[in-house]
């Protein structure tokens, strides 16, 4: 059936992950987050998958290597000192978003807005004055802004006006098709973002963290664990604020605004229990 033959060209998934981690989740030459796994030794000779012998190359650099423009030695040197690890941040990748309307789906909730003149903006999630997701629509452009923090308030992934960058020190970052997944550990997804150009973004899994606020995203709901608020099946259309949590110097009216919320103290057990019960009740 699907069993791997000893000399199969398919690289086992754990080895692919090791290679990604070692190469800083991008082409070792230029940092591009779209890449292929490349055996540095001729496959016909080695016929084995050893992570140290495999590297990451983007389409362009892969082609240059195949055609003989990129000497093996340069690839070997870049493999030892990959671009993204050297820079401490990935090479910016421009997402191709456009249009006069934009939709962001988060845990089955829909946030949508249409351009109503120069500089129309929407903030689906904001914590303590920091927009974690923001949309701008102007002159036929849809600009996506998004920032993902870890538990220590350090930004790991940033999309600034469609430019995607990430820190290569996450446990795993993988772009498959148009879905970007950042993992904190085995089976521990920090965020999974499905980009649907030209004008849609879907987030069905993950957690937004900021200043001790934890917003968990599941395929059918959002759970704010600090106060066990479950948000499901909501639509916010053409309103500036979505989930507006904590203190904002410039008050933002949101369809779900809460100030004075208690901060995360390490255990979200009770909130998870509440979520389970309330989702169960909703089904009845
Ligand atoms: Zn490259």
């Amino acid at each position: 059936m699907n069993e791997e033959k000893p000399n199969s060209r398919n690289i086992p998934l754990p080895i692919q992950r090791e290679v990604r981690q070692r190469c800083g989740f991008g082409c070792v030459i230029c940092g591009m987050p779209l890449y292929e796994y490349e055996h540095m030794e001729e496959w016909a000779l080695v016929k084995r998958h050893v992570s140290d012998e495999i590297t990451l190359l983007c389409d362009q650099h892969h082609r240059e290597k195949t055609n003989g423009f990129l000497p093996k030695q340069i690839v070997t040197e870049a493999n030892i000192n990959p671009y993204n690890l050297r820079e401490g941040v990935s090479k910016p990748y421009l997402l191709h978003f456009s249009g006069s309307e934009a939709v962001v789906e988060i845990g089955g909730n829909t946030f949508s807005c249409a351009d109503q003149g120069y500089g129309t903006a929407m903030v689906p999630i904001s914590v303590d004055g920091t927009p974690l997701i923001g949309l701008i629509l102007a002159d036929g452009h849809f600009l996506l802004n998004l920032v993902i923090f870890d538990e220590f308030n350090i930004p790991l992934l940033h999309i600034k006006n469609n430019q995607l960058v990430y820190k290569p020190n996450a446990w795993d970052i993988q772009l498959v098709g148009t879905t970007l997944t950042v993992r904190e550990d085995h089976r521990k997804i920090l965020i999974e973002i499905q980009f649907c150009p030209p004008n849609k973004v879907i987030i069905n899994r993950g957690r937004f963290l900021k200043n001790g606020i934890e917003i968990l995203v599941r395929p059918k709901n959002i759970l704010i664990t600090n106060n066990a608020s479950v948000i499901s099946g909501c639509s916010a259309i053409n309103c500036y604020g979505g989930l507006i949590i904590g203190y904002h110097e410039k008050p933002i009216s949101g369809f779900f605004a809460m100030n004075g919320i208690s901060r995360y103290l390490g255990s979200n057990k009770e909130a998870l229990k509440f979520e389970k019960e309330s989702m169960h009740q909703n089904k009845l």
Side-chain angles (χ1 to χ4, degrees):
M1 298 261 288
N2 249 348
E3 246 179 50
E4 199 140 353
K5 293 177 197 124
N7 67 348
S8 161
R9 291 199 71 136
N10 299 328
I11 302 170
L13 297 180
I15 292 185
Q16 290 187 14
R17 195 190 61 240
E18 273 179 45
V19 175
R20 285 197 297 277
Q21 290 166 333
R22 205 195 68 239
C23 296
F25 313 106
C27 169
V28 289
I29 306 273
C30 71
M32 170 69 110
L34 295 170
Y35 48 72
E36 292 165 32
Y37 298 85
E38 168 74 1
H39 285 84
M40 287 182 283
E41 301 299 328
E42 271 301 313
W43 166 259
L45 297 176
V46 295
K47 288 202 176 168
R48 63 180 179 193
H49 301 299
V50 177
S51 73
D52 284 349
E53 296 175 358
I54 302 168
T55 196
L56 301 182
L57 288 180
C58 69
D59 277 356
Q60 184 197 330
H61 288 118
H62 186 247
R63 186 166 289 269
E64 284 186 354
K65 180 173 179 275
T66 308
N67 286 15
F69 283 109
L70 181 63
K72 191 176 156 187
Q73 195 200 335
I74 292 181
V75 176
T76 314
E77 282 167 8
N79 176 64
I80 294 166
N81 196 10
Y83 180 98
N84 285 347
L85 296 183
R86 221 166 54 225
E87 298 292 315
V89 65
S90 68
K91 181 182 186 169
Y93 177 71
L94 185 67
L95 296 158
H96 301 280
F97 283 123
S98 60
S100 55
E101 283 180 19
V103 181
V104 177
E105 281 180 19
I106 308 170
N109 300 277
T110 306
F111 302 84
S112 62
C113 72
D115 190 358
Q116 286 150 42
Y118 184 73
T120 303
M122 183 182 204
V123 182
I125 301 179
S126 181
V127 175
D128 296 336
T130 303
L132 301 187
I133 306 188
L135 321 175
I136 297 168
L137 289 156
D139 295 337
H141 297 291
F142 159 34
L143 303 174
L144 174 68
N145 287 275
L146 183 146
V147 56
I148 300 295
F149 291 90
D150 68 7
E151 278 179 335
F152 307 102
N153 261 353
I154 295 169
L156 278 185
L157 185 140
H158 214 146
I159 299 172
K160 228 180 205 175
N161 292 339
N162 295 346
Q163 293 252 3
L164 165 70
V165 291
Y166 46 77
K167 292 230 174 87
N169 50 358
W171 187 75
D172 193 16
I173 302 171
Q174 198 179 14
L175 195 51
V176 175
T178 56
T179 301
L180 178 75
T181 309
V182 180
R183 289 185 175 84
E184 297 174 284
D185 209 332
H186 280 283
R187 293 181 194 171
K188 208 172 165 199
I189 290 177
L190 178 60
I191 196 82
E192 186 184 275
I193 308 167
Q194 194 187 339
F195 301 109
C196 312
N199 62 351
K200 191 173 176 179
V201 178
I202 302 171
I203 301 174
N204 274 342
R205 249 175 268 276
R207 51 189 202 140
F208 288 93
L209 305 164
K210 179 71 179 145
N211 296 349
I213 300 289
E214 182 186 53
I215 302 162
L216 296 183
V217 181
R218 303 33 170 90
K220 288 192 175 158
N221 68 283
I222 295 172
L223 168 70
I224 302 167
T225 59
N226 302 70
N227 62 1
S229 300
V230 178
I231 301 148
S232 68
C234 295
S235 297
I237 303 163
N238 287 330
C239 63
Y240 179 64
L243 305 186
I244 306 301
I245 299 168
Y247 173 73
H248 287 70
E249 206 169 325
K250 266 195 197 163
I252 300 177
S253 59
F255 94 110
F256 195 90
M258 49 173 86
N259 203 344
I261 184 170
S262 68
R263 303 297 160 144
Y264 187 55
L265 296 173
S267 172
N268 57 10
K269 239 185 202 167
E270 286 302 311
L272 293 173
K273 197 173 142 207
F274 173 82
E275 178 204 26
K276 207 171 172 188
E277 285 166 8
S278 67
M279 291 312 282
H280 182 66
Q281 276 168 9
N282 281 347
K283 271 187 210 151
L284 296 179

